[in-house]
């Protein structure tokens, strides 16, 4: 019963503070994390709550996959690949370099990986306000975000797999890359055909929400399979979502899983993230957190901006694209949670990552508006 009361408290706090943050023009997620920080002062998580949180992570990545617009990506493929690819490279290298003086080598690799993805929900909101979302710059940012998430998840998967093996050598790297490539090939080329046929049969089961239920079954099975192959479970969750997103059942599954995810499991995940923050670590982490956050901003402006410039954009447009790729949010925290669950990074990393998430999220709107006024 105590666990149920705690879940109810966490859910209420998530919705109330999420609403407050939305009213002041900030992402709901930041309010949910703050709610968890408040609860964490007088209460601790337990195994049941962590399992709810883990399912929230998988649902978050599943929905990120299903919402990824591959058609949009194909339409502006080359620029988005350059923007995302160089941005991910810069982010990983700068994230590693700034972390290495403060933590051990393997943790520095993870800090580099955690810095790579982009969350453009804030950027989209600003571009819509400026009526620039459907411009070439806006479309490139949206498509690059898809590539960015895929590359970020792949980078983290490879790093986690390497560290689980306990050694980093040529043979191990090749084996992991082959596994990841096989996983991608199956899901991107064979997955949509099998998913379409499977859901067509499942839709004949005359029971409420059969399609939604089996979507979650596939999500859990393939997340488990990814873990069994010594890859990150988020890779399986994301690829299942990406696969279903290419079928005619995309909207039905997305709508129904979103209700389940955002009404319960995903808010619990973000609150639980807040509960894990070590308040005693904040003072120690101050210099590291500031430097890490500065590199998070610089890496996207420089890396994504350079990618845009090489793709044919002028300097101003490249700067706008680089700024638009700065925010970090849900995927990064999901990646960090998987790394924590793997036991290869400490909980103090949450303090650093969440500081970076807060600053990059709040900083982007004024920077983007300034860039468009130039």
């Amino acid at each position: 019963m105590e666990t149920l009361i705690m879940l109810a408290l966490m859910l209420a706090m998530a919705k109330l503070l999420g609403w407050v943050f939305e009213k002041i023009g900030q992402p709901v997620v930041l309010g949910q994390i703050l709610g968890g920080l408040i609860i964490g002062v007088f209460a601790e998580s337990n195994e049941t709550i962590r399992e709810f949180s883990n399912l929230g992570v998988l649902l978050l990545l599943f929905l990120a996959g299903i919402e990824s617009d591959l058609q949009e990506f194909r339409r502006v493929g080359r620029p988005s690949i350059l923007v995302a690819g160089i941005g991910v490279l810069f982010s990983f290298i700068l994230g590693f370099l700034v972390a290495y003086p403060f933590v051990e080598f393997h943790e520095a690799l993870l800090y580099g990986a955690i810095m790579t993805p982009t969350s453009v929900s804030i950027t989209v909101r600003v571009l819509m306000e400026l009526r620039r979302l459907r411009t070439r710059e806006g479309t490139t940012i949206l498509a690059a975000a898809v590539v960015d998430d895929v590359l970020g998840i792949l980078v983290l998967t490879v790093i986690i797999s390497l560290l689980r093996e306990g050694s980093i050598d040529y043979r191990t790297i090749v084996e992991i890359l082959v596994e990841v490539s096989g996983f991608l090939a199956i899901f991107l080329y064979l997955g949509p055909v099998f998913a379409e046929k499977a859901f067509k049969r499942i839709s004949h089961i005359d029971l409420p929400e059969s399609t939604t239920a089996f979507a979650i079954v596939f999500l859990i099975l393939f997340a488990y399979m990814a873990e069994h192959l010594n890859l990150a479970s988020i890779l399986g969750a994301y690829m299942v979502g990406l696969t279903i997103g290419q079928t005619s059942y995309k909207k039905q599954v997305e709508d129904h899983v979103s209700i389940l995810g955002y009404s319960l499991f995903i808010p619990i995940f973000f609150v639980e993230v807040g509960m894990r923050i070590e308040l005693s670590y904040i003072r120690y982490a101050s210099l590291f957190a500031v430097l890490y956050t500065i590199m998070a901003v610089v890496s996207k402006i420089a890396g994504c901006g350079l990618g845009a410039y090489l793709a044919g954009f002028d300097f101003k447009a490249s700067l706008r694209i680089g700024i638009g790729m700065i925010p970090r949010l849900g995927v990064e925290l999901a990646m960090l949670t998987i790394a924590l669950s793997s036991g290869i990074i400490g909980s103090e990393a949450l303090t650093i990552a969440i500081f970076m998430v807060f600053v990059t999220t709040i900083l982007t709107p004024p920077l983007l508006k300034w860039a468009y006024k130039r």
Side-chain angles (χ1 to χ4, degrees):
M1 182 59 74
E2 287 183 4
T3 298
L4 291 177
I5 295 297
M6 180 62 70
L7 287 170
L9 175 62
M10 292 171 70
L11 193 57
M13 187 70 83
K15 295 302 179 184
L16 289 173
L17 283 184
W19 174 76
V20 170
F21 268 63
E22 188 176 45
K23 287 294 182 183
I24 61 175
Q26 296 301 323
V28 170
V29 168
L30 300 186
Q32 294 171 344
I33 294 170
L34 180 60
L37 184 62
I38 294 169
I39 293 174
V41 172
F42 59 85
E44 292 183 357
S45 182
N46 59 40
E47 190 61 36
T48 303
I49 291 171
R50 279 191 287 272
E51 289 302 325
F52 268 74
S53 177
N54 288 339
L55 187 52
V57 172
L58 297 181
L59 287 171
L60 180 66
L61 268 295
F62 173 83
L63 289 169
I66 207 170
E67 290 168 5
S68 297
D69 191 342
L70 290 184
Q71 296 300 323
E72 192 78 19
F73 161 64
R74 293 186 183 105
R75 192 166 73 84
V76 287
R78 182 177 175 274
S80 61
I81 289 174
L82 281 171
V83 169
I86 299 177
V88 165
L89 181 64
F90 271 52
S91 297
F92 179 75
I93 292 172
L94 291 179
F96 169 79
L97 290 176
V98 77
Y100 192 44
F102 295 92
V103 298
E104 294 180 6
F105 179 79
H106 73 279
E107 286 192 47
L109 287 174
L110 279 168
Y111 274 107
I114 290 163
M115 194 185 278
T116 55
T118 293
S119 177
V120 294
S121 57
I122 301 299
T123 300
V124 167
R125 191 172 71 192
V126 176
L127 291 176
M128 288 176 68
E129 181 183 327
L130 297 173
R131 299 180 185 273
R132 300 296 182 97
L133 184 60
R134 289 302 166 190
T135 61
R136 185 167 174 243
E137 295 162 19
T139 305
T140 300
I141 290 171
L142 289 174
V146 176
V147 185
D148 211 286
D149 280 352
V150 173
L151 291 177
I153 291 167
L154 292 179
V155 168
L156 184 75
T157 298
V158 171
I159 296 298
I160 286 180
S161 300
L162 283 171
L163 297 180
R164 281 175 175 169
E165 292 288 336
S167 62
I168 301 177
D169 56 44
Y170 175 77
R171 182 180 296 179
T172 306
I173 292 172
V174 170
E175 288 176 357
I176 292 167
L177 289 176
V178 168
E179 287 182 352
V180 170
S181 300
F183 216 72
L184 287 173
I186 289 170
F187 275 96
L188 290 177
Y189 295 102
L190 300 177
V193 176
F194 285 103
E196 187 73 41
K197 292 179 178 178
F199 280 111
K200 188 174 182 179
R201 291 175 179 267
I202 290 166
S203 64
H204 293 146
I205 299 175
D206 191 19
L207 287 172
E209 301 298 342
S210 296
T211 304
T212 306
F214 275 94
I216 295 171
V217 168
F218 294 143
L219 158 65
I220 294 171
L221 285 177
F222 285 105
Y224 175 80
M225 182 185 294
E227 281 283 330
H228 189 68
L229 291 171
N230 211 26
L231 304 174
S233 59
I234 54 173
L235 179 64
Y238 187 85
M239 295 311 299
V240 169
L242 203 60
T243 298
I244 294 175
Q246 297 177 73
T247 70
S248 61
Y249 294 88
K250 171 183 176 176
K251 189 172 187 329
Q252 179 185 349
V253 172
E254 181 182 359
D255 289 347
H256 293 197
V257 173
S258 291
I259 292 171
L260 176 65
Y262 287 109
S263 63
L264 177 59
F265 293 101
I266 295 173
I268 292 295
F269 160 62
F270 284 116
V271 172
E272 210 254 341
V273 164
M275 291 173 67
R276 290 196 198 189
I277 296 174
E278 301 262 354
L279 290 175
S280 60
Y281 188 73
I282 292 176
R283 185 175 179 182
Y284 165 74
S286 56
L287 177 61
F288 182 14
V290 170
L291 292 176
Y292 187 72
T293 301
I294 290 171
M295 285 301 104
V297 173
V298 170
S299 64
K300 289 298 182 182
I301 294 177
C304 296
L306 176 60
Y309 191 76
L310 293 176
F313 289 90
D314 61 25
F315 178 78
K316 283 187 178 180
S318 299
L319 177 64
R320 291 165 185 165
I321 290 171
I323 292 172
M325 297 291 286
I326 288 174
R328 277 49 163 219
L329 206 60
V331 173
E332 295 76 2
L333 296 177
M335 290 168 67
L336 180 57
T337 301
I338 295 300
L340 286 168
S341 300
S342 301
I344 48 182
I345 197 168
S347 59
E348 66 275 1
L350 274 174
T351 308
I352 308 296
I354 288 172
F355 181 81
M356 183 263 287
V357 164
F358 266 81
V359 173
T360 57
T361 301
I362 293 168
L363 189 63
T364 300
L367 273 180
L368 200 56
K369 289 176 181 177
W370 167 81
Y372 271 101
K373 287 177 181 178
R374 293 190 69 208

